[in-house]
Protein backbone atom coordinates (compact mmCIF):
# COMPACT_ATOMS: atom_id res chain seq x y z
CA UNK A 1 0.00 0.00 0.00
CA UNK A 2 1.22 3.53 -0.75
CA UNK A 3 1.55 5.80 2.27
CA UNK A 4 2.47 9.48 2.49
CA UNK A 5 4.01 11.07 5.56
CA UNK A 6 3.40 14.80 5.15
CA UNK A 7 4.93 17.22 7.61
CA UNK A 8 4.59 20.95 8.14
CA UNK A 9 7.75 22.40 9.71
CA UNK A 10 7.86 25.56 11.74
CA UNK A 11 11.08 26.81 13.22
CA UNK A 12 13.45 23.87 13.65
CA UNK A 13 12.75 21.84 10.50
CA UNK A 14 15.26 19.16 11.48
CA UNK A 15 13.29 17.74 14.43
CA UNK A 16 10.01 17.15 12.60
CA UNK A 17 11.91 15.82 9.58
CA UNK A 18 13.67 13.23 11.76
CA UNK A 19 10.44 12.21 13.47
CA UNK A 20 8.66 11.91 10.10
CA UNK A 21 11.50 9.77 8.75
CA UNK A 22 11.36 7.49 11.81
CA UNK A 23 7.58 7.16 11.42
CA UNK A 24 8.10 6.26 7.75
CA UNK A 25 10.68 3.61 8.71
CA UNK A 26 8.19 2.03 11.11
CA UNK A 27 5.50 1.98 8.43
CA UNK A 28 7.92 0.53 5.88
CA UNK A 29 8.70 -2.31 8.31
CA UNK A 30 5.08 -3.40 7.76
CA UNK A 31 5.83 -3.77 4.04
CA UNK A 32 4.30 -0.53 2.76
CA UNK A 33 5.82 1.94 0.29
CA UNK A 34 6.25 5.31 2.03
CA UNK A 35 6.98 8.76 0.63
CA UNK A 36 7.97 11.62 2.92
CA UNK A 37 6.69 15.04 1.86
CA UNK A 38 7.89 18.35 3.30
CA UNK A 39 4.75 20.43 2.71
CA UNK A 40 6.66 23.71 2.95
CA UNK A 41 8.96 22.68 0.09
CA UNK A 42 6.67 20.43 -2.00
CA UNK A 43 3.62 22.69 -2.06
CA UNK A 44 2.29 21.22 -5.32
CA UNK A 45 2.51 17.53 -4.40
CA UNK A 46 -0.75 15.60 -4.67
CA UNK A 47 -2.00 12.98 -2.24
CA UNK A 48 -4.50 11.34 -4.60
CA UNK A 49 -2.27 8.30 -5.29
CA UNK A 50 -1.88 7.36 -1.61
CA UNK A 51 -4.17 5.01 0.29
CA UNK A 52 -3.08 6.26 3.73
CA UNK A 53 -1.77 9.67 4.79
CA UNK A 54 0.05 10.68 7.99
CA UNK A 55 0.08 14.42 8.63
CA UNK A 56 2.39 16.05 11.17
CA UNK A 57 2.59 19.64 12.33
CA UNK A 58 5.22 21.45 14.32
CA UNK A 59 3.76 24.50 16.04
CA UNK A 60 5.88 27.65 16.19
CA UNK A 61 4.57 29.08 19.44
CA UNK A 62 4.57 27.52 22.88
CA UNK A 63 1.29 29.27 23.78
CA UNK A 64 -0.66 28.83 20.54
CA UNK A 65 -2.79 26.02 19.19
CA UNK A 66 -3.54 27.82 15.92
CA UNK A 67 -2.68 25.79 12.83
CA UNK A 68 -0.26 27.35 10.36
CA UNK A 69 -2.18 28.68 7.32
CA UNK A 70 -0.11 26.40 5.10
CA UNK A 71 -1.89 23.30 6.49
CA UNK A 72 -5.35 24.27 5.25
CA UNK A 73 -4.03 25.61 1.94
CA UNK A 74 -2.01 22.45 1.32
CA UNK A 75 -4.87 20.07 2.14
CA UNK A 76 -7.30 21.99 -0.09
CA UNK A 77 -4.89 21.73 -3.05
CA UNK A 78 -3.59 18.19 -2.44
CA UNK A 79 -5.93 16.47 -4.87
CA UNK A 80 -8.54 13.89 -3.85
CA UNK A 81 -8.12 13.43 -0.10
CA UNK A 82 -11.75 12.82 0.80
CA UNK A 83 -12.19 9.31 2.16
CA UNK A 84 -8.45 8.76 2.73
CA UNK A 85 -7.60 7.01 5.96
CA UNK A 86 -5.18 9.10 7.94
CA UNK A 87 -3.08 9.64 11.05
CA UNK A 88 -2.51 13.05 12.65
CA UNK A 89 0.48 13.86 14.82
CA UNK A 90 2.11 16.90 16.37
CA UNK A 91 5.33 17.57 18.22
CA UNK A 92 4.99 18.44 21.93
CA UNK A 93 6.26 21.99 21.62
CA UNK A 94 3.06 23.73 22.69
CA UNK A 95 1.46 23.82 26.14
CA UNK A 96 -1.89 23.37 24.40
CA UNK A 97 -1.01 20.00 22.84
CA UNK A 98 -4.48 18.49 23.03
CA UNK A 99 -6.13 21.55 21.49
CA UNK A 100 -3.44 21.75 18.80
CA UNK A 101 -3.99 18.11 17.86
CA UNK A 102 -7.76 18.65 17.79
CA UNK A 103 -7.32 21.60 15.43
CA UNK A 104 -5.20 19.49 13.08
CA UNK A 105 -7.72 16.64 13.12
CA UNK A 106 -10.57 19.08 12.43
CA UNK A 107 -8.75 20.51 9.42
CA UNK A 108 -8.12 17.03 8.04
CA UNK A 109 -11.69 15.86 8.67
CA UNK A 110 -12.94 19.11 7.11
CA UNK A 111 -11.37 17.93 3.85
CA UNK A 112 -13.18 14.59 4.17
CA UNK A 113 -10.26 12.55 5.51
CA UNK A 114 -11.12 9.59 7.75
CA UNK A 115 -9.18 9.83 11.02
CA UNK A 116 -7.88 6.45 12.20
CA UNK A 117 -5.43 7.55 14.90
CA UNK A 118 -3.73 10.62 16.35
CA UNK A 119 -0.90 11.23 18.78
CA UNK A 120 1.65 13.65 20.17
CA UNK A 121 5.09 12.29 19.23
CA UNK A 122 8.04 13.35 21.34
CA UNK A 123 10.99 11.57 19.70
CA UNK A 124 12.15 9.30 16.91
CA UNK A 125 11.97 6.03 18.86
CA UNK A 126 8.31 6.65 19.71
CA UNK A 127 7.59 7.59 16.07
CA UNK A 128 9.20 4.37 14.81
CA UNK A 129 7.14 2.25 17.22
CA UNK A 130 3.92 4.01 16.29
CA UNK A 131 4.73 3.42 12.60
CA UNK A 132 5.22 -0.31 13.27
CA UNK A 133 1.83 -0.55 14.99
CA UNK A 134 -0.36 1.66 12.79
CA UNK A 135 -3.31 -0.27 11.37
CA UNK A 136 -2.88 0.76 7.75
CA UNK A 137 -4.48 -2.18 5.94
Amino acid sequence: MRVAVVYFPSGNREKIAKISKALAQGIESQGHQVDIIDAAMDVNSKLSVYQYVAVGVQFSSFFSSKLPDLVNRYLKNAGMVAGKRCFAFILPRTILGGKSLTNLMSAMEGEGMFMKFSDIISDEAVAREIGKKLAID
Side-chain angles (χ1 to χ4, degrees), residues 11-27:
N12 182 4
R13 173 183 306 267
E14 187 176 314
K15 179 157 177 124
I16 194 163
K18 285 181 179 179
I19 287 177
S20 297
K21 184 177 180 180
L23 179 66
Q25 289 169 347
I27 294 169

Side-chain angles (χ1 to χ4, degrees), residues 4-134:
V5 176
V6 182
Y7 67 93
F8 295 85
S10 179
N12 182 4
R13 173 183 306 267
E14 187 176 314
K15 179 157 177 124
I16 194 163
K18 285 181 179 179
I19 287 177
S20 297
K21 184 177 180 180
L23 179 66
Q25 289 169 347
I27 294 169
E28 285 173 339
S29 74
Q30 294 186 43
H32 302 290
Q33 177 187 348
V34 183
D35 294 327
I36 302 171
I37 300 169
D38 180 342
M41 299 287 205
D42 302 328
V43 293
N44 293 323
S45 60
K46 302 296 182 200
L47 302 177
S48 301
V49 298
Y50 299 99
Q51 288 80 33
Y52 194 94
V53 180
V55 177
V57 175
Q58 179 181 16
F59 288 83
S60 59
S61 173
F62 184 71
F63 295 105
S64 176
S65 63
K66 184 177 184 284
L67 274 179
D69 293 333
L70 176 61
V71 175
N72 288 318
R73 269 196 325 265
Y74 181 88
L75 292 175
K76 286 184 187 328
N77 297 316
M80 286 295 300
V81 295
K84 300 262 186 227
R85 294 175 312 195
C86 60
F87 165 59
F89 69 96
I90 65 167
L91 275 58
R93 180 177 175 153
T94 175
I95 195 167
L96 304 169
K99 178 68 173 159
S100 302
L101 188 56
T102 300
N103 289 343
L104 174 58
M105 292 187 303
S106 295
M108 293 168 69
E109 289 172 340
E111 292 300 321
M113 298 174 89
F114 181 67
M115 190 66 52
K116 297 290 286 178
F117 187 63
S118 64
D119 208 345
I120 299 173
I121 301 178
S122 58
D123 61 39
E124 297 163 58
V126 172
R128 196 170 292 107
E129 287 305 311
I130 288 172
K132 289 178 182 177
K133 293 180 168 77
L134 277 178

